[in-house]
Amino acid sequence: MSESVVTVPRLVISLDFELHWGVFDHLRLDGPGRKYFDRTRELIPITLRRFADHGVAATWATVGMLFARDREDLLAAVPDVRPAYRNAALNPYALLDGVGRDESEDPYHYAPSLIQAIIDTPRQEMASHTFSHFYCLERGATAESFAADLRAARQLALANFGVELTSLVYPRNQSHFTEVAAAAGFTSYRGNPPAWFWQAANGEDTGSAQKAVRLLDHYLPLSGPSTGHPEGGSPDLANLPASRFLRPYLPRLDGYGGQHLKLRRILSEMTAAAETGRTYHLWWHPHNLATDPVKNMAALDAVLRHFSRLRERHGMESVTMQELSHARQ
């Protein structure tokens, strides 16, 4: 793979599609939790229609367990080698005894109907968020268990939907074991922004000061404009670093102009990328929109309208992670 300079401005959108598998360690499936994910499921078709209306491509990095059609299918796909996290609260396999029969009974741990809706929508890429929402930097994770996890994710997606997964998003952005990902057949991954406080770390090593600076960076330009060309990565695995997280509306933080600051930061960075022929990589989780559907969908609409203007004025293109990695070749 040869390196080439990307001169066409491009927008990349990647979504970390995980439902309860991604937050089970801190969000219970009680009444409010179920309503939260019910709203999430309702918003995904709406989001897909928004993308289609604006001609926007997106990469849906999906937890492999969501590809299972029923409990038997899920259990058969579980890899023999699993991570032995030192923090047992991070172990998703502990949930298997309580998982329901299928999507109709348990829409929080299965999503074949939503996956099919994504596949059926133009310009949408199915990608991997690992099989089990694997944490590469947590104590107890090994290259062997990660390789087994990635094999399980790719095999289930191919068997159930005929989809070959080639783009990878690391859960909680813990990018590591990249040589394992390349050997498993992946050609790109979403890396972290270059600022020191966005570098990959596990939960134990991410201190309160780093978290506070990360939070402020969504409102104020602490890290500078986050636009760029695709990074080199390795010859077989392209690093397509994130630019910005589309942070959801939270009243205690955003009720007094915070939402405007966050959105202005994103739109101005998109404009800078479009004017200088660079790439802007925006990401979020589908469940983020469910915190306040009205305000969060309004923010998404503003982003999509702004992209449409940048496409018209500067020729900005909307591409998937897979398409961007191919453009580097």
Side-chain angles (χ1 to χ4, degrees):
M1 181 183 296
S2 62
E3 188 69 25
S4 61
V5 176
V6 177
T7 57
V8 176
R10 294 185 170 105
L11 172 68
V12 181
I13 290 177
S14 58
L15 300 99
D16 300 10
F17 181 25
E18 45 193 55
L19 294 180
H20 190 236
W21 291 115
V23 294
F24 72 88
D25 56 319
H26 59 267
L27 181 59
R28 294 170 48 191
L29 272 182
D30 52 10
R34 288 174 180 266
K35 290 179 181 177
Y36 179 64
F37 287 113
D38 287 341
R39 287 197 300 271
T40 300
R41 291 183 62 95
E42 292 169 358
L43 288 170
I44 288 174
I46 296 172
T47 301
L48 288 170
R49 287 197 294 272
R50 295 288 211 283
F51 288 161
D53 289 345
H54 287 270
V56 167
T59 295
W60 294 74
T62 305
V63 168
M65 291 179 170
L66 294 176
F67 285 88
R69 298 198 179 276
D70 53 38
R71 181 179 174 80
E72 181 179 356
D73 196 25
L74 174 59
L75 294 178
V78 169
D80 292 332
V81 182
R82 308 176 192 177
Y85 300 124
R86 185 172 73 178
N87 180 359
L90 298 177
N91 176 21
Y93 296 103
L95 274 66
L96 290 179
D97 288 342
V99 168
R101 184 181 65 251
D102 54 22
E103 187 177 20
S104 63
E105 182 179 295
D106 186 351
Y108 316 109
H109 298 109
Y110 302 92
S113 68
L114 294 175
I115 290 170
Q116 190 61 56
I118 295 167
I119 292 171
D120 291 342
T121 302
R123 305 293 318 286
Q124 308 302 296
E125 176 195 6
M126 292 307 306
S128 182
H129 204 32
T130 75
F131 180 77
S132 65
H133 206 255
F134 192 103
Y135 304 121
C136 286
L137 289 175
E138 299 298 335
R139 272 63 167 178
T142 64
E144 182 185 15
S145 56
F146 186 49
D149 184 279
L150 294 183
R151 282 196 301 271
R154 297 189 88 224
Q155 289 170 0
L156 190 58
L158 187 61
N160 284 359
F161 292 91
V163 172
E164 184 174 5
L165 307 177
T166 62
S167 301
L168 174 67
V169 170
Y170 286 88
R172 300 187 184 169
N173 298 308
Q174 293 184 6
S175 50
H176 192 48
F177 300 135
T178 53
E179 70 286 352
V180 173
F186 290 94
T187 58
S188 69
Y189 72 98
R190 189 183 72 208
N192 292 297
W196 67 266
F197 48 84
W198 286 116
Q199 295 311 293
N202 63 37
E204 295 179 32
D205 294 339
T206 304
S208 56
Q210 185 176 7
K211 291 178 181 178
V213 177
R214 286 180 177 182
L215 175 62
L216 285 173
D217 191 46
H218 289 98
Y219 301 87
L220 304 171
L222 301 184
S223 60
S226 191
T227 65
H229 300 311
E231 299 294 332
S234 73
D236 299 315
L237 188 71
N239 176 12
L240 311 178
S243 299
R244 190 68 55 206
F245 171 48
L246 183 62
R247 187 175 176 84
Y249 177 86
L250 295 174
R252 67 181 184 277
L253 295 173
D254 301 324
Y256 300 96
Q259 185 79 338
H260 172 72
L261 288 175
K262 289 187 305 186
L263 190 57
R264 184 175 66 179
R265 183 138 165 70
I266 289 171
L267 300 187
S268 64
E269 289 178 337
M270 289 175 62
T271 299
E275 291 176 343
T276 57
R278 300 175 80 83
T279 298
Y280 193 73
H281 192 163
L282 185 66
W283 72 278
W284 68 91
H285 307 84
H287 63 249
N288 294 142
L289 300 179
T291 61
D292 188 317
V294 173
K295 288 185 171 61
N296 290 323
M297 291 305 294
L300 176 57
D301 285 339
V303 168
L304 298 179
R305 287 195 302 269
H306 191 61
F307 165 72
S308 294
R309 289 192 290 269
L310 295 176
R311 177 171 52 197
E312 184 175 321
R313 296 173 184 173
H314 302 286
M316 195 175 206
E317 297 179 352
S318 173
V319 297
T320 64
M321 287 178 60
Q322 182 183 64
E323 290 168 340
L324 185 59
S325 68
H326 288 169
R328 299 171 70 250
Q329 297 177 357

